Amino acid sequence: MPILNLPLANIIDNLQEAGSNTGWNSKQFFAQCFVITLLFIALNLLAWKPVRTVLEERRKKIEESMANAEKIKQQLADAEASRLSIIQKATEQATAIIAAAEKAAVARGEQRTQEAVRQAEEIIKKAHEAAVLNRDRLLAELKREVGALVIQTTEKVAGKVLTTDDQTRLNAETLRQLSADKN
């Protein structure tokens, strides 16, 4: 049976009547509501609030860890870029050192070649000078011997002993004739 417009007193009476039929008691109901409310407040203060605090702290730690992970990723990327830059600079420096060493080796080789050429020229020059000195010495010796032979021959042909002036004149004449024959 539908009850649409009943006054409040009738509703309570109807509820009590329905409660007595089903075993419902309003005092017990309100007591249970009060106990549940107290239990809710106690749980909220003693359990849920600390749990929410712990969860909030964990959420913050997770956010910080994520931010730190991003920082570490960035630092790792920067370190990798720095490492590559250092390797590139080291490679460039090594290439420059190798090129400088090659240039120095080429320059040193050229210097040694020039030194060897200079030494060879000095040896040739000294050998030439020695040959000229030896030739001059041999010519002087030859001139003396030729002069002595001419003097001896002249003395034997002329049958007289030549004076020093005669010997000098004969030597000069003989040398002049030898020089004329060479040319």
Side-chain angles (χ1 to χ4, degrees):
M1 105 184 178
I3 302 176
L4 296 175
N5 267 335
L6 295 177
L8 184 61
N10 284 341
I11 293 174
I12 292 175
D13 287 339
N14 284 338
L15 285 176
Q16 283 178 350
E17 184 179 319
S20 62
N21 290 342
T22 59
W24 183 77
N25 186 349
S26 63
K27 289 181 184 179
Q28 284 180 343
F29 175 75
F30 288 118
Q32 286 177 352
C33 285
F34 180 73
V35 168
I36 289 175
T37 304
L38 283 177
L39 183 63
F40 177 77
I41 291 171
L43 285 175
N44 191 26
L45 291 175
L46 299 175
W48 293 335
K49 197 171 194 178
V51 168
R52 275 190 250 137
T53 305
V54 168
L55 290 175
E56 182 65 24
E57 288 174 3
R58 284 192 177 180
R59 186 188 60 78
K60 286 180 182 178
K61 284 182 182 179
I62 290 170
E63 286 178 357
E64 288 174 3
S65 296
M66 295 298 285
N68 285 340
E70 288 299 319
K71 287 179 186 177
I72 289 170
K73 283 182 184 178
Q74 182 61 38
Q75 289 173 352
L76 183 60
D78 292 345
E80 181 67 18
S82 175
R83 182 186 69 86
L84 292 175
S85 173
I86 289 170
I87 288 172
Q88 183 178 3
K89 286 179 183 176
T91 303
E92 289 172 0
Q93 287 177 348
T95 303
I97 289 170
I98 289 170
E102 286 175 350
K103 285 181 184 178
V106 168
R108 183 68 176 153
E110 288 177 6
Q111 184 181 17
R112 284 192 174 186
T113 302
Q114 290 174 354
E115 181 68 22
V117 167
R118 186 187 60 76
Q119 287 177 353
E121 287 174 352
E122 280 184 28
I123 290 170
I124 291 171
K125 181 180 173 184
K126 286 180 182 178
H128 182 64
E129 288 175 356
V132 167
L133 286 175
N134 195 22
R135 186 187 60 129
D136 289 347
R137 183 183 58 78
L138 289 174
L139 279 177
E141 190 177 312
L142 181 66
K143 287 178 187 179
R144 275 193 316 260
E145 288 181 15
V146 167
L149 284 174
V150 168
I151 291 171
Q152 284 178 355
T153 307
T154 306
E155 283 178 353
K156 285 185 181 181
V157 170
K160 72 173 190 168
V161 177
L162 298 175
T163 63
T164 307
D165 290 336
D166 290 335
Q167 289 178 3
T168 306
R169 185 179 48 81
L170 279 174
N171 277 338
E173 249 180 72
T174 305
L175 290 176
R176 195 177 28 167
Q177 286 178 359
L178 287 174
S179 295
D181 290 341
K182 274 186 179 180
N183 293 333

